[in-house]
Amino acid sequence: MRKILLLLLASLPVMAFAQGFQVNLHGQKQIGMGHTGTGLAQDGASVLFNPGAMAMLPDNYIQAGISPLIFKSGFNPSGTNDAYYTKNKIATPFTAYAVWGPKSSFWKLGLGVYTPFGGLTDWGNEWQGKYVLESLNLKAIAIQPTLSIRLADFVSIGGGFVYNIGDVDLQRAIPLANAAGADGQARLKGSGHGYGWNAGIFFKTESGITVGIDYRSKLKTTINNGDAIFGVPASLATSFPQPNTFTASIPLPSTTSLGLGYYPSSRWTLAADVNYVHWSVYKVLAFDYAQNTSALQDTYSPRNYKDAYSLRGGAQYKANDKLFLRAGGGYASTAVRDGYVTPEAPDANRYYFTGGLGYKLAKRLDLDFSFEYEKLLSRTQTNIESQLAGTFKTHVYIPGVSLAYHW
Amino acid sequence: MKNFKLSIYVLLAASLAACKPSIETPAPSHGSADFSRYIAVGNSLTAGYADGGLYLEGQQNSYPSIIAKQMQQVGGGTFTQPLFSQDQANGSGYLQLTGFDKTTGAPTTAPVTTNLAVTGQVTIPGFGAVTTYTKYTGTDLNNYGVPGIKLAHITYAPYGNLNGFYERLLPGAEGTHTTTYLDFITAKPFTFFTNWLGNNDALGYATSGGAGDVLTDKATFNALYSGLMTKLTASGQKGAVATIPDVTAIPYFNTVTVAAILASVQKANPAVQALFINAKSDATAAGTAYAARPATANDLIVLTFPTSKIGTLVSTPAGMLPYGLTPYSPIENQYVLDANEVTLTKDYVTSYNNTIKSVAASKGIAVNDMYTFLNNVKAHGLVVDGVNLNAGYISGGIFSLDGVHLTPRGYAIVANEFIKAINAQYGSTIPLADAASYRSVKFP
């Protein structure tokens, strides 16, 4: 009678994907000051932080920086003495900005190339959550041409169009053992693009305080025809047709920022930023496979993110004409509700400390270093979907360096 | 500038060597129990039987061995099992999945017949043929799981001659054994035990469709279980027992269904209205009357039923008739656990479980309620570490190819249920096993 059995495979749990993966490494001077910059006109990074401030920059800029990011996460499954750690992998968020306008003109043109979102997490293929996620490498690169106009001595505005290129490579194990007892493997790999915009306004008040407001729009990035690669035992190959493709859409949320700059003396710059990230647009993660079978269905996975905010503060001290010291810190709330935490970026409320050094190599050439330590508060969770239960603890270490030429 | 170069190197070096987040795991504790010598008492499930046989890989993934491995973190000692040798790793032989039928998608299996530990067959007078296996010669033994044993057998002195899996554990020649199972397991001192006996007292009857075996009498079960537990706790030992699963929760009875057979028959012959089975007339143990009647969804067909028999012409008093399709040529008793037999079996299992729970309670012993657990799995499925499991055949991930015994992942889940019950009873913190690291059914 086994003849008439239909084989229904353990259905694939939906792909875990994408959370807490906003990258905020957008300029070494700003990182050093706790990621503040919306209310300052520091350098070319204003293209991102506040295009409105660009026209207030005294110089033209061309600059580039890199912030190698080491994400260290550990997981202790509930009721066990086991501990699993992510592998040592270094992600490389980078920035490149150019700002140009005729000297003393009321306008400036800008171009920014930066990494607004990304994630690199590799738990390996032997950990308890391997059926949820083995590794994720998510990269987004945004290109933003920008125009800024000084309306008056005390106010300027700016805006830019954002073209975003997204790239994802996700791997997980499939609970189908082959004759040797080894798991099947799933890999989703693809790239896509999206559009958005970034606009801001910048004021110099009579009290000497500078104020900036910036809005970076949602970047709805769609991956079309990504490769869905499944390695399963030969007898099940027809259930996982190859080649196959998938389509998935990820809304990268909008961010609204308000920033203040205060200059108590010629040596000191103090800054504060508040950011509101509209993560609640991220309701579901759906994967649509080009070829479906009874074992390979499209997936529809609730995410139900909530909006998140961050509070940031920082200071810069000009030690002498060549040397600048910076420090800052902040707190960011998690977008991920209880029950939805997944291993690709085990999000939690986090706080961070930053430090930086700026050195003028020459009159027109700035070399800046930054370092950031982020601590995600430990979070004990049972994921609603996967039932993976345990405690995540995460630290992030981010050194960085940039070079800026201005004239 | 040199200093800056230096500082970036320092920063990079510091961050690369940066310490991992420290994970603080709970301090392991044995609570009020002593795990220094743990023994496992039980049947095939305890031995690690899987895929219709006892073989090395199954033994190595038995739930007692998984529990023992976890216990070692809280003072557990070494745990020795009567393993088959590498040369005879396939033990009694077992079923392997060979593929899926191209047109129906149905799984096909084949027996593994190489590298067996079978030494021969001996005919025991008054009983029949007993297959014997290469003896286990080790001096130490912690896993006393014997496939096929019933609670009803544990005080029967000649039992060693009737069960090759028990015989291989005993010193001496086949035909001469006189050691009862109860005496055998309690001969050496121990500090902790698990006891999952009793399944076969109901399962033997059920898997034979109520035809080839009998249910152990309820009072006999109660007396034997009390006696067993008294002896196991004689020196104040602590332990855990497990209840007996509802036999109807296993794929052996839920895979080949009346509706599925009927549907495939109707494809060829739409005029067929019903399947006929030879069914028990009442739900009492004493009743012996059977009569043919149309099958319903409450009648359970066994996994091993050869469906090709359906419709073949068989000789009956009314002439040559298609098998299973008329009241004169019903599906034979041994292939069906009919509705009355189901009711009877359930009644006995409930009674056995009441005995198990009340005896355990009276002795302060932990209870792993596998009856409730597996019924929940059957009703709702189970998600573990991102794997969707259920009580289905092959696809469910918990049950092995015989539809009764478990996969290594299934046994790991059982081990974790034991561990949870033990920790709750004795205040210990035996860490749970990682079920994701154990496999389900192997696919070619």
Side-chain angles (χ1 to χ4, degrees):
Chain A
M1 193 55 226
R2 275 170 266 177
K3 251 195 293 183
I4 57 169
L5 284 180
L6 272 180
L7 180 78
L8 287 172
L9 293 163
S11 69
L12 281 171
V14 286
M15 294 292 176
F17 192 47
Q19 82 185 17
F21 53 88
Q22 188 173 35
V23 176
N24 286 299
L25 302 161
H26 299 311
Q28 262 52 47
K29 292 187 180 81
Q30 290 77 7
I31 295 169
M33 295 175 68
H35 301 293
T36 56
T38 310
L40 302 178
Q42 277 263 46
D43 64 1
S46 287
V47 171
L48 177 124
F49 279 92
N50 184 356
M54 266 167 53
M56 295 289 192
L57 288 170
D59 285 346
N60 293 326
Y61 274 88
I62 184 156
Q63 65 187 78
I66 189 164
S67 305
L69 181 149
I70 300 127
F71 182 88
K72 296 261 198 181
S73 197
F75 179 66
N76 168 225
S78 294
T80 77
N81 284 351
D82 301 330
Y84 301 95
Y85 298 95
T86 53
K87 298 196 170 154
N88 284 322
K89 290 260 172 106
I90 298 176
T92 51
F94 66 89
T95 56
Y97 301 109
V99 175
W100 180 84
K103 208 71 185 171
S104 309
S105 155
F106 68 96
W107 59 273
K108 271 191 170 28
L109 285 174
L111 180 68
V113 181
Y114 53 89
T115 48
F117 295 89
L120 179 60
T121 321
D122 185 354
W123 292 93
N125 57 12
E126 286 176 354
W127 81 295
Q128 188 156 343
K130 64 188 174 180
Y131 298 119
V132 180
L133 181 84
E134 290 176 341
S135 67
L136 169 70
N137 188 353
L138 173 73
K139 283 178 282 198
I141 297 172
I143 301 165
Q144 181 194 324
T146 310
L147 173 67
S148 178
I149 292 169
R150 195 167 65 223
L151 301 175
D153 282 350
F154 62 93
V155 58
S156 58
I157 57 170
F161 167 81
V162 179
Y163 177 73
N164 180 53
I165 304 160
D167 188 67
V168 66
D169 185 348
L170 182 152
Q171 293 186 61
R172 51 182 287 275
I174 302 176
L176 294 170
N178 66 15
D183 287 317
Q185 287 287 328
R187 184 173 189 187
L188 297 181
K189 198 174 178 314
S191 56
H193 57 84
Y195 306 96
W197 51 278
N198 181 1
I201 185 164
F202 185 78
F203 302 96
K204 289 181 174 171
T205 65
E206 285 181 16
S207 58
I209 292 175
T210 52
V211 181
I213 299 169
D214 178 66
Y215 179 82
R216 272 178 281 149
S217 77
K218 178 167 97 167
L219 295 168
K220 183 155 183 160
T221 300
T222 301
I223 294 168
N224 279 314
N225 298 318
D227 294 321
I229 304 159
F230 298 103
V232 294
S235 61
L236 300 172
T238 52
S239 295
F240 294 86
Q242 290 288 298
N244 201 354
T245 61
F246 73 95
T247 297
S249 191
I250 316 150
L252 304 174
S254 65
T255 305
T256 308
S257 308
L258 168 69
L260 299 176
Y262 177 57
Y263 315 88
S265 76
S266 61
R267 288 184 181 275
W268 282 95
T269 304
L270 302 179
D273 271 32
V274 180
N275 296 69
Y276 188 82
V277 188
H278 200 60
W279 274 115
S280 59
V281 295
Y282 192 30
K283 299 277 187 225
V284 302
L285 177 67
F287 280 89
D288 179 2
Y289 295 104
Q291 296 185 71
N292 293 114
T293 67
S294 61
L296 182 65
Q297 298 290 324
D298 293 341
T299 61
Y300 186 87
S301 170
R303 284 292 178 263
N304 295 324
Y305 275 28
K306 59 184 178 186
D307 290 347
Y309 64 87
S310 66
L311 304 174
R312 306 164 168 185
Q316 172 176 278
Y317 176 71
K318 184 178 176 185
N320 56 46
D321 282 347
K322 291 198 157 188
L323 184 63
F324 297 81
L325 304 174
R326 303 184 185 103
Y331 176 84
S333 73
T334 180
V336 185
R337 293 174 202 270
D338 286 348
Y340 291 90
V341 174
T342 53
E344 74 265 5
D347 206 45
N349 294 332
R350 60 179 83 188
Y351 58 84
Y352 58 87
F353 302 102
T354 70
L357 275 176
Y359 188 73
K360 282 196 177 302
L361 293 177
K363 194 184 166 210
R364 298 175 187 281
L365 196 59
D366 300 349
L367 177 66
D368 291 287
F369 296 102
S370 62
F371 184 77
E372 172 170 359
Y373 167 71
E374 249 181 68
K375 182 178 168 69
L376 278 71
L377 302 183
S378 99
R379 202 164 180 192
T380 302
Q381 289 275 298
T382 299
N383 184 276
I384 290 169
E385 210 164 9
S386 68
Q387 295 296 311
L388 185 67
T391 303
F392 285 105
K393 264 192 177 181
T394 305
H395 298 182
V396 190
Y397 303 88
I398 315 162
V401 61
S402 71
L403 203 57
Y405 181 75
H406 50 98
W407 69 98
Chain B
M1 185 55 215
K2 250 186 187 165
N3 283 339
F4 288 107
K5 257 189 184 164
L6 187 66
S7 59
I8 188 87
Y9 290 145
V10 169
L11 279 173
L12 273 174
S15 51
L16 282 173
C19 40
K20 296 188 268 199
S22 60
I23 297 281
E24 289 132 31
T25 55
S29 158
H30 57 73
S32 59
D34 174 359
F35 302 119
S36 57
R37 184 170 149 77
Y38 157 49
I39 64 164
V41 175
N43 46 49
S44 49
L45 292 161
T46 301
Y49 197 94
D51 303 319
L54 185 66
Y55 61 105
L56 182 60
E57 191 198 354
Q59 293 179 310
Q60 288 166 333
N61 293 304
S62 70
Y63 78 79
S65 71
I66 298 170
I67 294 172
K69 192 176 153 206
Q70 301 304 114
M71 271 182 183
Q72 282 174 355
Q73 300 183 52
V74 290
T78 54
F79 189 80
T80 308
Q81 302 198 92
L83 300 177
F84 292 114
S85 68
Q86 281 295 343
D87 289 347
Q88 302 184 341
N90 295 331
S92 65
Y94 60 95
L95 291 175
Q96 226 172 18
L97 188 65
T98 51
F100 298 93
D101 187 282
K102 281 213 166 60
T103 49
T104 63
T108 53
T109 58
V112 174
T113 55
T114 58
N115 296 88
L116 302 186
V118 175
T119 51
Q121 277 207 336
V122 178
T123 303
I124 299 297
F127 180 75
V130 173
T131 302
T132 56
Y133 305 97
T134 305
K135 291 258 189 194
Y136 171 66
T137 53
T139 51
D140 224 359
L141 191 56
N142 296 75
N143 188 342
Y144 290 101
V146 169
I149 194 169
K150 294 182 181 184
L151 184 68
H153 297 143
I154 64 168
T155 54
Y156 183 57
Y159 186 66
N161 303 310
L162 311 183
N163 183 331
F165 293 112
Y166 183 34
E167 198 279 331
R168 71 180 281 264
L169 305 181
L170 296 170
E174 169 63 344
T176 68
H177 300 300
T178 56
T179 309
T180 67
Y181 183 71
L182 185 56
D183 287 341
F184 182 59
I185 60 176
T186 52
K188 285 184 182 171
F190 58 91
T191 62
F192 195 87
F193 68 90
T194 57
N195 168 18
W196 198 9
L197 277 169
N199 308 65
N200 289 328
D201 295 80
L203 199 64
Y205 174 82
T207 55
S208 65
D213 207 340
V214 292
L215 292 157
T216 300
D217 177 68
K218 293 174 187 175
T220 306
F221 190 97
N222 195 355
L224 284 169
Y225 207 85
S226 301
L228 168 66
M229 291 295 285
T230 300
K231 199 149 182 194
L232 286 173
T233 56
S235 315
Q237 295 98 327
K238 295 187 163 60
V241 298
T243 54
I244 299 163
D246 180 350
V247 294
T248 62
I250 62 178
Y252 189 81
F253 292 109
N254 293 315
T255 304
V256 181
T257 61
V258 169
I261 301 175
L262 191 59
S264 81
V265 171
Q266 285 171 335
K267 242 187 218 169
N269 186 351
V272 171
Q273 294 294 313
L275 297 179
F276 287 85
I277 58 169
N278 191 21
K280 190 167 160 61
S281 302
D282 61 53
T284 68
T288 54
Y290 277 78
R293 63 165 171 81
T296 73
N298 296 325
D299 302 312
L300 306 178
I301 313 286
V302 300
L303 181 65
T304 50
F305 175 57
T307 47
S308 56
K309 287 187 87 162
I310 292 283
T312 56
L313 292 178
V314 289
S315 170
T316 74
M320 297 297 282
L321 290 171
Y323 182 85
L325 303 182
T326 76
Y328 307 101
S329 56
I331 298 174
E332 293 146 282
N333 188 11
Q334 71 264 30
Y335 296 127
V336 188
L337 193 69
D338 65 64
N340 279 330
E341 291 169 336
V342 169
T343 305
L344 181 65
T345 310
K346 280 179 181 262
D347 175 53
Y348 271 66
V349 168
T350 304
S351 165
Y352 295 165
N353 283 338
N354 288 339
T355 293
I356 291 170
K357 286 186 276 192
S358 68
V359 172
S362 74
K363 301 196 178 302
I365 296 300
V367 177
N368 168 15
D369 193 354
M370 290 310 295
Y371 175 87
T372 305
F373 182 78
L374 283 176
N375 277 351
N376 280 338
V377 170
K378 185 192 172 192
H380 310 297
L382 176 70
V383 182
V384 176
D385 297 336
V387 186
N388 289 321
L389 301 163
N390 59 59
Y393 183 58
I394 295 185
S395 61
I398 294 175
F399 289 93
S400 72
L401 293 171
D402 59 31
V404 175
H405 301 95
L406 308 183
T407 59
R409 183 164 292 151
Y411 281 126
I413 289 164
V414 167
N416 281 342
E417 291 305 307
F418 266 108
I419 289 171
K420 288 179 201 167
I422 293 166
N423 286 344
Q425 184 79 15
Y426 304 114
S428 52
T429 55
I430 306 169
L432 295 174
D434 172 13
S437 69
Y438 294 86
R439 69 164 177 89
S440 291
V441 171
K442 282 180 178 177
F443 294 89

